[in-house]
Amino acid sequence: MHFHKYEKIWLSFGIVSLIVFLSVVGVSAFSQNHTPSGGMDTIDPEKVNETAPFDNPGVTQLDEDTYQVAIVALAFGYNAPDLRVPAGKEIIFKVTSTDVVHSFTIDNTKVNMMVVPGRVTTKSYTFDEPGKYLILCNEYCGTGHHMMSAEIEVY
C-alpha cells in the first residue's frame, strides 16, 4: 500500500494529536483524583426497611463533625422524619428507593442525585447557611410526582 507524502504527514499529525489529547485527559484525571461516580453500593429493594441505615431513617451523628442522613424515596414521598442538621458540619446523605427511579435534589445546593431501586446513592455536603431547604424529586415517578417533597432544617 502506497501513501502519498501529504497523506503520511496528516496521518502522523492525527495520530500524534490523538495520543497527546488522551494523555492530557488521563494525566489530569489521575492527578486531580477523578474517579467514576459513586453509588455502586447495592441493596435488596424488598428489604430496605430491614437493612441499616434505612431501617431507622433520619439523622445520625457519626462523630463530632460528621452526620449521616438516611432517606428512603418511595411513591410520592420521602421517608425522612424530622431532618435537622447543623450548619458547618459534613452531612453524608445516603438515599435509596423501594419502587421506581426518583431524584433527590436539595434546592439552592449542589446536592442532586438519582435514586435507583437496588442502589444506595451517597453524597456529602456541608451547609454554610442555616435555614430550611426544600428537597425535591426531579425525576417523573408517577401521577403524584408533583407532591413529592420534604424539608431539611439547618440550624
Side-chain angles (χ1 to χ4, degrees):
M1 179 180 228
H2 175 70
F3 286 110
H4 190 271
K5 175 181 160 184
Y6 293 118
E7 288 177 316
K8 289 179 186 177
I9 292 172
W10 279 108
L11 188 59
S12 299
F13 176 74
I15 291 171
V16 169
S17 297
L18 182 62
I19 290 170
V20 168
F21 172 74
L22 292 176
S23 298
V24 167
V25 170
V27 168
S28 66
F30 182 74
S31 68
Q32 295 176 10
N33 201 23
H34 290 170
T35 59
S37 61
M40 297 309 293
D41 295 334
T42 59
I43 189 170
D44 184 351
E46 295 180 9
K47 296 183 180 179
V48 168
N49 296 331
E50 304 166 13
T51 308
F54 304 107
D55 57 345
N56 188 18
V59 180
T60 307
Q61 186 171 1
L62 300 178
D63 60 37
E64 187 177 316
D65 294 324
T66 310
Y67 290 77
Q68 176 178 284
V69 177
I71 298 174
V72 179
L74 40 102
F76 319 131
Y78 295 102
N79 185 0
D82 193 31
L83 296 178
R84 294 186 73 238
V85 296
K89 305 289 184 180
E90 179 185 20
I91 312 299
I92 300 171
F93 293 97
K94 288 188 172 274
V95 189
T96 192
S97 172
T98 59
D99 47 15
V100 298
V101 174
H102 295 280
S103 164
F104 180 81
T105 303
I106 302 177
D107 197 27
N108 295 322
T109 68
K110 294 181 181 180
V111 177
N112 186 7
M113 303 183 285
M114 292 297 297
V115 184
V116 180
R119 299 271 185 205
V120 177
T121 308
T122 305
K123 172 80 173 168
S124 174
Y125 188 74
T126 302
F127 292 94
D128 295 326
E129 297 291 325
K132 292 188 178 186
Y133 293 82
L134 185 63
I135 301 171
L136 299 168
C137 177
N138 288 329
E139 188 71 29
Y140 182 74
C141 53
T143 56
H145 166 74
H146 63 283
M147 298 183 301
M148 188 168 176
S149 67
E151 193 172 70
I152 185 165
E153 182 181 349
V154 178
Y155 58 92

